[in-house]
Amino acid sequence: MTTLFSRIVSRISGTPRKTLFGCPQCYQSLVFKTLCHSAIDSDTKGDTALMEKVDPYSLVADEISLVSKRLRSSVVAKVPELSSAAGYFFKEGVEGKRTCSMVLLLMARAMDIHGTETPFYCTKDSITTELHRRQQLIAEVTEMIHVASLIHDDVLDDADTRRGIGSLNFVVGNKLAVLAGDFLLFRALRILASLGNTEVVSLLATAVENLVTGETMQMAATVEQCSSMEYYMQKTYNKTASLISNSCKAIALLSGQTPRVATLAFEYGKHLGLAYQFIDDILDFTGTSASLGKGSLSDIHQGIITAPILYALEEFPQLQYVIEKGFENPANVDLALDYLWKSHGIQRTRELARKHANLAAAAIHSLPQTTTMDVIKSRQALINLTQLLTTRNK
Amino acid sequence: MTTLFSRIVSRISGTPRKTLFGCPQCYQSLVFKTLCHSAIDSDTKGDTALMEKVDPYSLVADEISLVSKRLRSSVVAKVPELSSAAGYFFKEGVEGKRTCSMVLLLMARAMDIHGTETPFYCTKDSITTELHRRQQLIAEVTEMIHVASLIHDDVLDDADTRRGIGSLNFVVGNKLAVLAGDFLLFRALRILASLGNTEVVSLLATAVENLVTGETMQMAATVEQCSSMEYYMQKTYNKTASLISNSCKAIALLSGQTPRVATLAFEYGKHLGLAYQFIDDILDFTGTSASLGKGSLSDIHQGIITAPILYALEEFPQLQYVIEKGFENPANVDLALDYLWKSHGIQRTRELARKHANLAAAAIHSLPQTTTMDVIKSRQALINLTQLLTTRNK
């Protein structure tokens, strides 16, 4: 990170001076003002190329590790069996991609807590440190809620694997898995309450309600609802995008941003979450790089209709008949896939993902301008992330 | 309620005057000051007898109905299936005893919001009304958490009945029952967050964590833990007393009471909850009035060891051997019951319940003195409740 900074600094102004008004950060901010605006707002090719190389993960890798470490101690319960079950997916090596943490930690850095009037004494004081700790707690809590929802989902779906190991219900049984999920949800809420901001508590409680609503929508959908793009979008928002969007908003609120900025943070999370899920839905058909172009088809085998099939249905209305018959019979799955491959379903879903990725990026572009380099770089990382997540193949 | 008031008033001072300083409530307060102190603090027989007749339920019956009505609209979800499942136990006729609501609504009235210096203009102003609405929300939220825990418990225990009807998991399946429980918990937390008091959110989140901890303690107990009175007490607190004690404390905090008063409210809830459960544990052996002295024995059949057996074990250490063998074999249940009937297990459990009922009453006696009649009467109702709940036979 420092190396990239140094390279940019050298290109603009030669070797950077150590201080300006006694503060290296302010100095960098002023020096980079022109570069950074151009990097984000224009297409000045060389500088943009450099900014586009900002790797979202490595920018906050240390913080992600810190959050993961704290998580392991945060989920300790009074009863060893509960600690063990609740901590199952927080052990090193099975922590998953930790995309939620990455997005939220970047969002925290993307908030300009100094506002447009950057003070001359912008060293990291105790207030900034405390704010950062509180924002990290949002990342922690979001991972806990995310894992709790996965644990409950696995109970509901009788799943036997998750993240390459046995699912929690498979290892400890349904009862303890349900309890571990409940425990994580409320430990998360208790940590949230300690932040002393009931709007933030409300946002995350709403997110969990939406998770439950989305799961029910999937479980209880009629054939008509299954065939509706509107229903699918609503379900996808509830199941995938609501948590990250509400957490992004919570991050903004904690740092005292205006309602407009909080809404933009929410919009970023919402569109990123949607785009992420659309790509997931494509990969379920086309497969990951590891599976050489063959998807697991797990959605359709469970009777879950996603965007690619819905677009295929628009082109081939006769697919409706197949959907009505259900997918318990493998011949129906094959028939649906025939229609899908003949259609532009995959392509249109990818366009839909791109559209939402662009809306996410637009939300970041709409944030009030800043002159703080760290903030600019984090915003660029969030923008880069929209592209990385929508071009991924696993 | 009014009738009882009138009778007390007539005995003290003849027909009550309509106003004193323009406020009937103040008038009553002043007139009853002597009576009320004596009713609670001394044994002036006639007046005490009248106060002891204060019926806790009828004192807040209207409010309980109001809370029940509001609950039915509070649990409406975006998805009809979820609304239906979440509202299953809030329908008229299957709402249960609503003991939580009764205790909390009485506790709300038992808090002297005017303090020792009662103002002359103590009509119910908007502040009092708003406070009361907020306290009612605590009752509402507590019922929601209580029902959510019952729903999840029934899933864990594969129970097929509850409150005289099919359990939710029996009617809609485990999946929707788990989701309905999750939904209720988080709808409850969202309502709590709307109160804008994070200490209150934290108290209730802790209560749910304790519920989960208690359930896990019961599920994962070793034989040694099953035989420990200390473990049983801790588990009982977590499963039964933690929710009502934390909610009582929340009621006190919302009305701006001192930490000491909040602790006394907590202590009342804790000891009442424990006493209630000890009687429940006795009734599981001795039966309710309806079952003519024969209990359902459901605890021991599930291998759950409660106070009566633990006391029997103290008298007959050879019972340990039966406990170690478990209760899947009905002969072991019979053997344990033989020891129980020979022992003072039931009697000692009843004494334990009485001890905690008295501790609950003592917490109310320790509240700062008040001259407000409504407050005094509600406190007396809370005290009466300790006796009613521990002498119940169903």
Side-chain angles (χ1 to χ4, degrees):
Chain A
M1 185 171 120
T2 315
T3 316
L4 182 65
F5 261 105
S6 309
R7 281 170 57 204
I8 301 174
V9 169
S10 304
R11 290 187 55 194
I12 301 291
S13 58
T15 307
R17 288 211 323 260
K18 284 279 179 194
T19 57
L20 180 74
F21 304 116
C23 170
Q25 202 178 346
C26 280
Y27 166 71
Q28 286 187 340
S29 298
L30 291 172
V31 168
F32 294 151
K33 195 171 175 180
T34 319
L35 162 68
C36 300
H37 280 170
S38 70
I40 292 185
D41 295 324
S42 82
D43 58 359
T44 310
K45 282 183 182 167
D47 303 332
T48 308
L50 263 181
M51 288 300 273
E52 280 173 359
K53 282 184 186 158
V54 173
D55 173 31
Y57 184 81
S58 59
L59 204 57
V60 284
D62 290 346
E63 267 192 275
I64 292 175
S65 297
L66 188 71
V67 167
S68 299
K69 198 175 160 190
R70 280 205 200 128
L71 268 168
R72 284 190 276 279
S73 57
S74 291
V75 299
V76 172
K78 288 181 211 157
V79 189
E81 291 80 4
L82 198 54
S83 294
S84 169
Y88 186 70
F89 286 118
F90 297 115
K91 288 182 294 193
E92 279 185 77
V94 288
E95 296 147 305
K97 295 176 195 163
R98 292 175 286 182
T99 312
C100 287
S101 290
M102 176 172 56
V103 172
L104 295 171
L105 294 169
L106 286 172
M107 186 58 82
R109 290 170 175 233
M111 295 291 109
D112 190 0
I113 55 166
H114 297 296
T116 44
E117 290 176 17
T118 311
F120 293 125
Y121 50 91
C122 60
T123 51
K124 280 194 175 179
D125 58 15
S126 61
I127 297 170
T128 314
T129 310
E130 173 60 12
L131 169 63
H132 214 56
R133 190 193 64 81
R134 289 158 63 83
Q135 288 172 322
Q136 283 169 352
L137 278 181
I138 298 286
E140 198 177 311
V141 154
T142 305
E143 288 286 350
M144 286 165 81
I145 294 175
H146 176 59
V147 166
S149 76
L150 297 181
I151 290 173
H152 277 190
D153 276 5
D154 285 348
V155 172
L156 301 180
D157 299 340
D158 286 326
D160 49 14
T161 57
R162 166 76 66 183
R163 292 183 178 171
I165 57 173
S167 66
L168 187 60
N169 47 307
F170 184 75
V171 174
V172 302
N174 279 350
K175 293 187 183 190
L176 195 48
V178 170
L179 289 170
D182 286 355
F183 171 81
L184 283 176
L185 290 173
F186 278 84
R187 177 58 61 94
L189 261 285
R190 221 179 76 182
I191 293 172
L192 269 185
S194 74
L195 294 175
N197 184 322
T198 47
E199 194 174 353
V200 165
V201 174
S202 183
L203 283 173
L204 275 288
T206 303
V208 180
E209 254 195 55
N210 287 345
L211 279 169
V212 173
T213 301
E215 190 64 37
T216 313
M217 287 178 82
Q218 181 161 298
M219 214 177 75
T222 62
V223 171
E224 195 184 351
Q225 288 167 333
C226 276
S227 315
S228 154
M229 182 58 97
E230 192 188 332
Y231 192 85
Y232 163 80
M233 292 293 282
Q234 191 58 44
K235 181 198 79 176
T236 306
Y237 168 71
N238 282 319
K239 269 182 68 89
T240 313
S242 171
L243 178 58
I244 193 70
S245 56
N246 280 293
S247 295
C248 280
K249 187 173 179 182
I251 291 276
L253 288 178
L254 278 184
S255 64
Q257 302 294 318
T258 61
R260 183 175 165 268
V261 170
T263 302
L264 288 170
F266 179 93
E267 289 294 309
Y268 175 82
K270 173 181 153 186
H271 293 296
L272 187 83
L274 288 172
Y276 183 90
Q277 186 57 48
F278 300 145
I279 297 297
D280 239 31
D281 291 345
I282 290 174
L283 292 175
D284 197 57
F285 290 108
T286 61
T288 64
S289 57
S291 62
L292 300 169
K294 188 168 169 8
S296 68
L297 304 175
S298 69
D299 286 339
I300 198 162
H301 277 297
Q302 290 178 73
I304 300 166
I305 309 293
T306 57
I309 294 286
L310 291 172
Y311 281 128
L313 176 64
E314 282 182 18
E315 282 180 65
F316 300 100
Q318 56 271 47
L319 181 51
Q320 180 69 41
Y321 180 66
V322 185
I323 293 172
E324 279 167 16
K325 285 203 290 181
F327 296 101
E328 286 184 14
N329 179 353
N332 283 347
V333 174
D334 291 340
L335 207 52
L337 290 177
D338 284 347
Y339 284 115
L340 174 64
W341 302 134
K342 278 193 286 185
S343 77
H344 297 85
I346 297 290
Q347 184 188 325
R348 287 181 70 191
T349 306
R350 204 177 295 283
E351 282 160 15
L352 184 70
R354 269 195 216 109
K355 177 185 144 193
H356 284 277
N358 290 340
L359 286 169
I364 299 300
H365 283 299
S366 301
L367 289 170
Q369 287 199 348
T370 178
T371 53
T372 310
M373 190 58 197
D374 264 358
V375 174
I376 292 166
K377 208 170 163 195
S378 302
R379 290 182 185 179
Q380 185 63 42
L382 286 170
I383 291 166
N384 294 353
L385 198 57
T386 64
Q387 299 310 310
L388 287 170
L389 291 184
T390 46
T391 52
R392 72 200 163 94
N393 58 5
K394 62 177 180 177
Chain B
M1 184 169 122
T2 316
T3 316
L4 182 65
F5 262 106
S6 308
R7 281 170 56 203
I8 300 175
V9 169
S10 303
R11 290 188 55 194
I12 302 291
S13 58
T15 308
R17 288 210 324 260
K18 284 279 181 196
T19 55
L20 180 73
F21 306 116
C23 171
Q25 203 177 343
C26 280
Y27 166 71
Q28 286 188 338
S29 298
L30 291 172
V31 168
F32 294 150
K33 193 173 177 180
T34 319
L35 162 68
C36 300
H37 281 171
S38 70
I40 291 186
D41 294 324
S42 82
D43 56 0
T44 310
K45 282 182 181 168
D47 304 333
T48 308
L50 265 179
M51 287 301 274
E52 281 173 359
K53 281 183 186 159
V54 172
D55 173 32
Y57 183 80
S58 60
L59 204 58
V60 284
D62 290 348
E63 267 192 274
I64 292 175
S65 297
L66 187 72
V67 166
S68 298
K69 199 174 160 190
R70 280 205 200 126
L71 267 168
R72 284 189 276 280
S73 56
S74 291
V75 300
V76 172
K78 288 181 209 155
V79 189
E81 291 80 4
L82 198 53
S83 293
S84 170
Y88 186 70
F89 286 118
F90 297 114
K91 288 182 294 194
E92 278 185 80
V94 288
E95 298 148 306
K97 296 175 195 163
R98 293 175 286 182
T99 312
C100 288
S101 289
M102 176 173 54
V103 172
L104 295 171
L105 295 169
L106 286 172
M107 185 60 80
R109 289 169 175 233
M111 296 290 109
D112 190 0
I113 56 166
H114 296 297
T116 45
E117 288 176 17
T118 311
F120 293 124
Y121 51 91
C122 60
T123 52
K124 281 194 174 177
D125 58 14
S126 60
I127 296 170
T128 314
T129 310
E130 172 61 11
L131 170 63
H132 213 55
R133 191 193 62 82
R134 289 159 63 82
Q135 288 173 323
Q136 283 169 351
L137 278 181
I138 298 286
E140 199 177 310
V141 154
T142 305
E143 288 286 350
M144 286 165 82
I145 294 175
H146 176 58
V147 166
S149 76
L150 297 181
I151 290 173
H152 277 190
D153 277 5
D154 285 349
V155 172
L156 301 181
D157 299 340
D158 286 327
D160 50 12
T161 58
R162 164 78 65 186
R163 293 182 179 172
I165 56 173
S167 65
L168 187 60
N169 46 306
F170 183 77
V171 174
V172 301
N174 279 350
K175 293 187 183 190
L176 195 48
V178 169
L179 290 170
D182 286 355
F183 171 80
L184 284 176
L185 290 174
F186 278 85
R187 178 58 62 94
L189 260 285
R190 218 178 78 182
I191 293 173
L192 269 185
S194 74
L195 293 174
N197 184 322
T198 47
E199 194 174 353
V200 165
V201 175
S202 183
L203 283 173
L204 274 288
T206 304
V208 180
E209 253 195 56
N210 288 345
L211 279 169
V212 173
T213 303
E215 192 62 40
T216 312
M217 286 178 82
Q218 181 163 299
M219 215 177 75
T222 62
V223 171
E224 195 184 352
Q225 288 167 333
C226 277
S227 315
S228 153
M229 181 58 94
E230 192 188 333
Y231 193 84
Y232 164 80
M233 291 293 282
Q234 191 57 46
K235 181 199 78 178
T236 306
Y237 168 72
N238 282 319
K239 269 182 69 89
T240 314
S242 170
L243 178 58
I244 192 70
S245 55
N246 280 291
S247 294
C248 280
K249 187 173 178 180
I251 291 276
L253 288 178
L254 279 184
S255 64
Q257 301 294 319
T258 61
R260 183 174 165 268
V261 170
T263 302
L264 288 170
F266 179 92
E267 288 295 307
Y268 176 82
K270 174 181 153 188
H271 292 295
L272 187 84
L274 288 172
Y276 183 90
Q277 186 57 47
F278 300 143
I279 297 297
D280 240 31
D281 292 345
I282 289 174
L283 292 174
D284 197 57
F285 289 108
T286 62
T288 65
S289 57
S291 61
L292 300 169
K294 191 170 166 10
S296 68
L297 303 176
S298 69
D299 286 338
I300 198 162
H301 277 297
Q302 290 180 72
I304 299 167
I305 309 294
T306 57
I309 294 285
L310 291 172
Y311 281 128
L313 177 63
E314 282 182 18
E315 283 181 65
F316 300 100
Q318 56 271 47
L319 180 53
Q320 181 68 41
Y321 179 66
V322 185
I323 294 173
E324 280 167 15
K325 285 203 290 184
F327 297 101
E328 287 185 10
N329 180 353
N332 283 347
V333 174
D334 291 341
L335 207 51
L337 290 177
D338 285 346
Y339 283 115
L340 175 63
W341 302 132
K342 279 193 285 183
S343 77
H344 297 86
I346 297 291
Q347 185 187 325
R348 288 181 69 190
T349 306
R350 205 176 296 282
E351 281 160 17
L352 183 70
R354 271 196 215 108
K355 177 185 145 192
H356 283 278
N358 291 339
L359 285 169
I364 300 300
H365 282 300
S366 301
L367 289 170
Q369 287 200 347
T370 178
T371 54
T372 311
M373 189 56 197
D374 265 359
V375 175
I376 292 166
K377 210 173 163 193
S378 302
R379 289 181 185 179
Q380 185 63 42
L382 286 170
I383 291 167
N384 294 354
L385 198 57
T386 64
Q387 299 310 310
L388 288 170
L389 291 183
T390 46
T391 52
R392 71 201 164 93
N393 58 4
K394 62 175 181 180

